Amino acid sequence: MRLVIARCSVDYAGRLTAHLPSAPRLILVKADGSVSIHADDRAYKPLNWMSPPCTLKEGDGEVWTVENKGGEKLIITLEEVMHDSSHELGVDPGLIKDGVEAHLQELLADRIETLGEGYSLIRREYPTAIGPVDILCRDADGQTVAVEIKRRGEIDGVEQLTRYLELLNRDPHLAPVKGIFAAQEIKPQARVLATDRGIGCVVLDYNALRGIEDDKLRLF
């Protein structure tokens, strides 16, 4: 991972145009090829980014051009570099999920048809460049479905599933991919955001699932 702290301006050209005026920012260049620009007031969320696969070209005059296969570009103009370092992080062991989430994932994978008649499992923990999708499956029409499972469904979980869907839909062997956000409790704001993005919501009763016999397993 490369960490660059610099005063810079950023221009995005693609489906729309956007401009970040000159200011000190953190630029992350990750081993997966992604580039993201961060301020100091937005937690983990970047101001702008380019997801892999993309290429970074460092041109003359401290101008970086990041371009993806779709022709979208981030043009980063570095005015003053205050820090530039690279670090080898190695292979991450992955997120160890809450026991309830892990058990829900196992139950749903074993009885994937409870999501709907004709559903079939592709695999659990389907790998992507930004982390594994809890469950990847197909519905009765053969469309790929990505399922994100949470104990408590909040906006962050919808954002996480949105990023997975954006990446998965770039794979012609999987696209089009739709999403299902499944949780024991889904906050109203998360449900509104999911609905706005075309993501289905399923509320899970963990205790009921855990206590129901195999031939009666279902979702509520």
Side-chain angles (χ1 to χ4, degrees):
M1 177 182 293
R2 184 178 178 186
L3 308 175
V4 178
I5 299 174
R7 177 173 289 278
C8 64
S9 60
V10 184
D11 291 279
Y12 166 79
R15 291 166 291 181
L16 48 80
T17 59
H19 175 71
L20 292 172
S22 176
R25 298 187 176 96
L26 168 65
I27 304 169
L28 294 183
V29 183
K30 298 178 67 177
D32 63 7
S34 64
V35 178
S36 56
I37 297 95
H38 297 259
D40 202 20
D41 63 348
R42 297 196 176 201
Y44 67 90
K45 189 173 183 179
L47 296 165
N48 214 326
W49 68 94
M50 190 71 75
S51 300
C54 59
T55 57
L56 168 61
K57 295 181 180 179
E58 300 184 40
D60 296 332
E62 298 299 327
V63 175
W64 293 8
T65 301
V66 187
E67 184 173 3
N68 66 15
K69 290 185 176 180
E72 297 172 292
K73 294 182 180 180
L74 276 182
I75 300 172
I76 306 170
T77 302
L78 304 175
E79 300 168 10
E80 178 187 1
V81 177
M82 292 164 269
H83 177 85
D84 188 345
S85 63
S86 297
H87 308 270
E88 179 61 53
L89 301 185
V91 178
D92 191 88
L95 179 67
I96 299 175
K97 291 184 176 292
D98 176 273
V100 173
E101 290 182 13
H103 197 196
L104 280 172
Q105 183 191 118
E106 182 180 354
L107 289 170
L108 291 177
D110 287 343
R111 294 292 184 271
I112 197 65
E113 68 276 5
T114 59
L115 288 175
E117 185 177 352
Y119 271 68
S120 59
L121 179 69
I122 296 176
R123 67 167 289 177
R124 293 170 55 190
E125 299 287 335
Y126 186 88
T128 76
I130 57 175
V133 178
D134 286 336
I135 291 177
L136 198 70
C137 56
R138 295 192 189 279
D139 65 13
D141 298 322
Q143 183 175 358
T144 310
V145 182
V147 184
E148 180 63 25
I149 300 169
K150 298 292 184 186
R151 185 171 61 85
R152 180 179 293 106
E154 300 184 1
I155 286 177
D156 285 354
V158 179
E159 294 283 8
Q160 181 180 358
L161 180 53
T162 299
R163 292 193 294 272
Y164 288 146
L165 291 171
E166 180 183 353
L167 202 60
L168 292 169
N169 272 301
R170 296 179 185 178
D171 187 337
H173 299 292
L174 298 175
V177 184
K178 65 181 181 181
I180 292 179
F181 187 51
Q184 290 179 272
E185 174 192 1
I186 299 178
K187 298 293 185 180
Q189 300 91 333
R191 186 181 291 275
V192 169
L193 181 61
T195 301
D196 181 69
R197 295 182 177 180
I199 294 171
C201 292
V202 175
V203 176
L204 309 176
D205 187 331
Y206 174 68
N207 289 329
L209 283 172
R210 185 175 56 180
I212 292 173
E213 296 298 329
D214 288 352
D215 63 345
K216 295 181 181 179
L217 186 63
R218 55 195 174 91
L219 298 182
F220 293 87

